[in-house]
Amino acid sequence: MIGKSLDIGSSVIRFFSKNFYTLILFALVLISAFSSIWLFYFEIVKDTNPLSSIPAHIVKTLFDAMVLMSPFFVVKRRGFVFIPLILLDVFCLSAVWYYRNYLDIIPFSSFLLYENLTPLLLESAFASARWIDCLAIVPTLMTGVLYKFVLQKKVQKERRRLWWPVIVILSVFVCFHIFLSVRDIKSKQYDSLTDRFVTFPNNILYFDLNGMCGYILYHAATSLLPQPELTEEETIRIQDYLDAYPRYADNIYSVNENKNLILIIVESLNSWVIGKSFCGEEITPCLNRIVNDSNSITAVHVLPQVKDGRSSDGQFMFNTGLLPLKSGAVATRYDDVDYYSIAKALKRRNYTAVNMTVDGNNYWNQAEISVAYGYDQNIDRLGGGTSVTDSVLMERAIEKIKVQKTPFFYQLITGTSHKPYNEPYRKTKLSGATEFPEEVRNYMEVIHYTDRCIGAFVDSLRSNGLYDNTVIAIASDHNQLLSPCGVPDYNDTEAAFIVANAGVKYTHTSVMGQIDIYPTLLDIMNCNDYAWKGLGYSILRTPVGSAAGWNGTVYGNEGDSLASRQIEAWDISEKIITKGYFSLK
């Protein structure tokens, strides 16, 4: 026994002596990886779940870092380890910046949307940076410098493949997670070893349970596995769900028959700004006039139901009446589906459908998805080389509309009010509202600008004799989280839906979802004979008082009679989109 112990001890000593500088480099790489993952944990997971165990995550983060960097031992050129290390840094830093804006983890599929990598998006990301983010950058830079100028030649002399450290790391990692699963079964939290890996309420809590490696493996598996087709049971469930919707085909707003429709989707419009004035300046004078008009619809308690597709998810709901995917963007993953849509409903009556956006056709896959929505024409950047301002969008739109054959449906997608909110070139009195943080003041200024652009557009419709025969719907693509503020009525979690020249005066005072906009537009435009009325409810017919988020949380009246169906709608929508339900109809 003593002899064997001595042999093992001498083997360990020989291993360390032969690979001394290699192990020093691995320790430095390990610290760098640990630092990035810890930033991810502390800024996202701990912020979401304050009860998350820090000691447990120290162990998880250490194991994750070791597993992710373990290829270091099996490549002779040790410098290659900086490739996965830098990729890890980029992911963790991107995830933290994404979370600070959207309160979720950035989906891996978003990294493939290189077309979305515009100067505006980069500026928005950098605006979210904080000093603590250096945890994902500085350790890697320092390790790189030490490797280049101190360790590289010494490590190269020790160059050999070492498989057994990898085997040990992976074995201990697996045993650790088996231990966690067994512990959870004994505490009756789960019933089987695999439950903790497949049962979770959201991405952040999944990471909290299973760490970085578990999170990566789960999403890699779910992305690569083929989506099964609808089962007979699922088809019946979807049909039964749809059959329970109110059935109606009457058009009670005949005053709007064959009127033109213009849908203006406003970037990041928080509804709390509507009707507000500070320092003697209205934030949204144009929208205020519409709200106060006797021929308008107003809803300022709209729950944003966008997910990973953000702006494109808003467009998706308004156009199709379906909820977005819980993971990934519909616009890029399912752009080949033959969707029912507001454009197709109107085109049965000889409408021309045109989509105009300030961004390029490749941004959120506008070129392909606009075809799926049924638009006859998609105009991006309006002939310019880069994204254009909202004023240019409105000016070019009115030029086309003046010569457009009627009836028509135009969708105008703004973009100037996208984050970041820098100091405006031309300040108004709103910049003097010092009770707000600087970011909020700048936000009010940019919304004031976009409102002015919309006002000029509406005035042009009037001067060209088009206003009286046109319904103008204005909807937020999503909300925008801003700096915390204690000013009364300040709320950056609700969106808006406003309709000018609607044929009716109606103010929706309770909560509704973005999913309810599609059936309401069908109602306003006398398209109730269209078979597909979406998964929401027309607020002109149904007393909607609640809405459900993707995680099952009900907003508004939690006891609302529609709440259970609103929750189920997310699952129904997911199956309709991903399993080809429309191809069966």
Side-chain angles (χ1 to χ4, degrees):
M1 285 294 291
I2 296 175
K4 287 185 178 180
S5 298
L6 289 173
D7 288 341
I8 294 172
S10 60
S11 297
V12 171
I13 292 172
R14 281 198 304 273
F15 172 77
F16 276 94
S17 62
K18 288 182 178 180
N19 302 284
F20 180 73
Y21 293 105
T22 298
L23 293 173
I24 288 177
L25 178 58
F26 180 72
L28 292 172
V29 167
L30 192 63
I31 292 170
S32 301
F34 183 97
S35 181
S36 284
I37 299 171
W38 190 255
L39 172 72
F40 183 105
Y41 167 73
F42 195 78
E43 288 293 294
I44 298 177
V45 179
K46 190 64 176 172
D47 184 68
T48 302
N49 181 20
L51 299 178
S52 177
S53 170
I54 290 179
H57 265 282
I58 291 175
V59 178
K60 287 180 187 176
T61 302
L62 180 61
F63 279 134
D64 284 337
M66 292 175 69
V67 169
L68 292 172
M69 297 301 107
S70 61
F72 170 88
F73 289 108
V74 296
V75 291
K76 289 187 176 181
R77 297 194 177 189
R78 307 297 193 202
F80 282 173
V81 76
F82 285 96
I83 295 175
L85 178 58
I86 291 171
L87 289 175
L88 177 64
D89 293 342
V90 169
F91 171 69
C92 291
L93 198 57
S94 300
V96 168
W97 289 350
Y98 187 91
Y99 173 80
R100 288 172 185 161
N101 287 282
Y102 307 126
L103 298 180
D104 200 0
I105 300 176
I106 185 171
F108 288 112
S109 59
S110 291
F111 289 97
L112 302 177
L113 302 178
Y114 55 87
E115 301 93 344
N116 284 7
L117 200 63
T118 62
L120 177 62
L121 185 64
L122 290 174
E123 190 178 359
S124 176
F126 293 147
S128 303
R130 298 174 188 168
W131 283 110
I132 194 175
D133 301 342
C134 291
L135 284 172
I137 302 171
V138 173
T140 298
L141 287 176
M142 292 178 65
T143 299
V145 170
L146 286 171
Y147 174 70
K148 178 66 178 177
F149 296 105
V150 179
L151 296 173
Q152 186 174 16
K153 291 182 179 179
K154 296 175 180 178
V155 169
Q156 285 177 342
K157 291 179 180 180
E158 300 174 347
R159 187 171 61 179
R160 61 180 63 84
R161 288 191 175 92
L162 302 169
W163 286 100
W164 75 262
V166 178
I167 295 170
V168 170
I169 289 171
L170 292 178
S171 299
V172 175
F173 175 80
V174 171
C175 290
F176 173 69
H177 280 277
I178 290 174
F179 164 77
L180 293 179
S181 294
V182 172
R183 181 201 62 182
D184 291 341
I185 293 172
K186 288 183 176 180
S187 65
K188 300 189 183 305
Q189 186 175 353
Y190 296 112
D191 296 324
S192 70
L193 288 175
T194 58
D195 279 356
R196 67 180 288 116
F197 303 106
V198 296
T199 306
F200 62 101
N202 59 50
N203 288 328
I204 296 174
L205 294 182
Y206 188 91
F207 185 97
D208 193 17
L209 276 175
N210 302 304
M212 179 65 77
C213 289
Y215 179 81
I216 293 172
L217 288 171
Y218 175 81
H219 282 277
T222 54
S223 298
L224 295 175
L225 292 175
Q227 186 65 248
E229 295 182 356
L230 277 173
T231 65
E232 183 178 355
E233 181 181 348
E234 288 173 327
T235 304
I236 293 172
R237 180 191 169 198
I238 292 172
Q239 194 56 57
D240 288 345
Y241 181 88
L242 297 178
D243 288 344
Y245 271 97
R247 292 184 174 274
Y248 54 88
D250 60 290
N251 292 312
I252 57 178
Y253 302 107
S254 57
V255 66
N256 291 332
E257 188 166 358
N258 291 325
K259 276 191 174 182
N260 308 310
L261 172 62
I262 298 173
L263 172 60
I264 303 175
I265 302 179
V266 181
E267 173 68 43
S268 304
L269 175 61
N270 292 337
S271 62
W272 72 269
V273 301
I274 298 168
K276 295 292 189 298
S277 297
F278 297 96
C279 303
E281 186 89 54
E282 290 181 280
I283 304 176
T284 58
C286 171
L287 296 185
N288 295 348
R289 286 194 297 273
I290 295 173
V291 168
N292 295 325
D293 189 79
S294 60
N295 191 20
S296 66
I297 296 171
T298 304
V300 294
H301 301 293
V302 181
L303 174 68
Q305 294 171 298
V306 299
K307 191 61 176 52
D308 296 339
R310 303 304 297 168
S311 297
S312 67
D313 282 351
Q315 298 166 31
F316 178 71
M317 283 183 279
F318 305 153
N319 278 275
T320 68
L322 287 165
L323 288 160
L325 300 175
K326 293 181 181 180
S327 179
V330 181
T332 56
R333 293 183 60 190
Y334 294 94
D335 59 356
D336 57 348
V337 176
D338 185 16
Y339 296 105
Y340 291 100
S341 70
I342 187 74
K344 293 174 183 177
L346 291 169
K347 284 170 68 174
R348 297 173 309 134
R349 298 182 177 178
N350 298 317
Y351 278 68
T352 301
V354 179
N355 179 48
M356 297 181 72
T357 174
V358 297
D359 292 306
N361 266 336
N362 54 3
Y363 194 72
W364 286 125
N365 202 27
Q366 286 285 346
E368 284 74 19
I369 200 64
S370 65
V371 173
Y373 296 159
Y375 287 97
D376 300 300
Q377 189 177 8
N378 180 56
I379 305 171
D380 74 323
R381 293 178 181 170
L382 310 175
T386 58
S387 299
V388 297
T389 61
D390 292 349
S391 60
V392 173
L393 170 67
M394 299 301 171
E395 289 166 5
R396 301 286 175 81
I398 203 68
E399 290 173 6
K400 291 191 63 66
I401 286 171
K402 285 192 298 186
V403 296
Q404 180 69 60
K405 177 185 175 183
T406 59
F408 58 74
F409 167 39
Y410 268 66
Q411 176 175 266
L412 309 180
I413 304 172
T414 73
T416 302
S417 48
H418 195 289
K419 194 175 181 178
Y421 303 110
N422 300 318
E423 184 175 347
Y425 294 112
R426 295 180 181 178
K427 293 183 179 181
T428 70
K429 295 177 182 178
L430 294 169
S431 290
T434 54
E435 63 267 41
F436 291 100
E438 182 182 10
E439 183 186 40
V440 179
R441 295 198 301 272
N442 294 343
Y443 172 80
M444 292 191 295
E445 289 278 18
V446 76
I447 291 296
H448 182 76
Y449 161 80
T450 296
D451 177 86
R452 188 167 67 247
C453 296
I454 294 173
F457 175 76
V458 172
D459 290 342
S460 295
L461 290 175
R462 292 183 189 276
S463 62
N464 285 281
L466 292 165
Y467 179 82
D468 290 339
N469 197 42
T470 302
V471 174
I472 306 166
I474 301 164
S476 317
D477 62 349
H478 52 74
N479 65 314
Q480 178 59 59
L481 298 177
L482 300 168
S483 302
C485 178
V487 175
D489 298 327
Y490 174 79
N491 185 344
D492 59 6
T493 62
E494 292 182 328
F497 174 53
I498 298 170
V499 184
N501 210 11
V504 62
K505 177 63 178 176
Y506 176 69
T507 300
H508 192 76
T509 58
S510 54
V511 171
M512 63 176 284
Q514 286 182 303
I515 192 65
D516 300 314
I517 290 176
Y518 170 86
T520 304
L521 287 175
L522 288 180
D523 221 347
I524 294 169
M525 297 306 297
N526 288 298
C527 289
N528 287 326
D529 56 336
Y530 193 54
W532 175 253
K533 294 186 176 63
L535 299 182
Y537 297 86
S538 169
I539 59 173
L540 302 177
R541 292 177 180 267
T542 304
V544 178
S546 61
W550 66 273
N551 59 359
T553 302
V554 175
Y555 297 82
N557 180 9
E558 295 182 8
D560 192 285
S561 60
L562 301 177
S564 61
R565 286 182 55 80
Q566 291 168 334
I567 295 171
E568 188 181 3
W570 282 93
D571 189 44
I572 295 295
S573 184
E574 188 103 0
K575 286 180 168 53
I576 287 175
I577 297 166
T578 63
K579 295 192 173 185
Y581 177 78
F582 285 151
S583 65
L584 304 177
K585 305 307 288 179

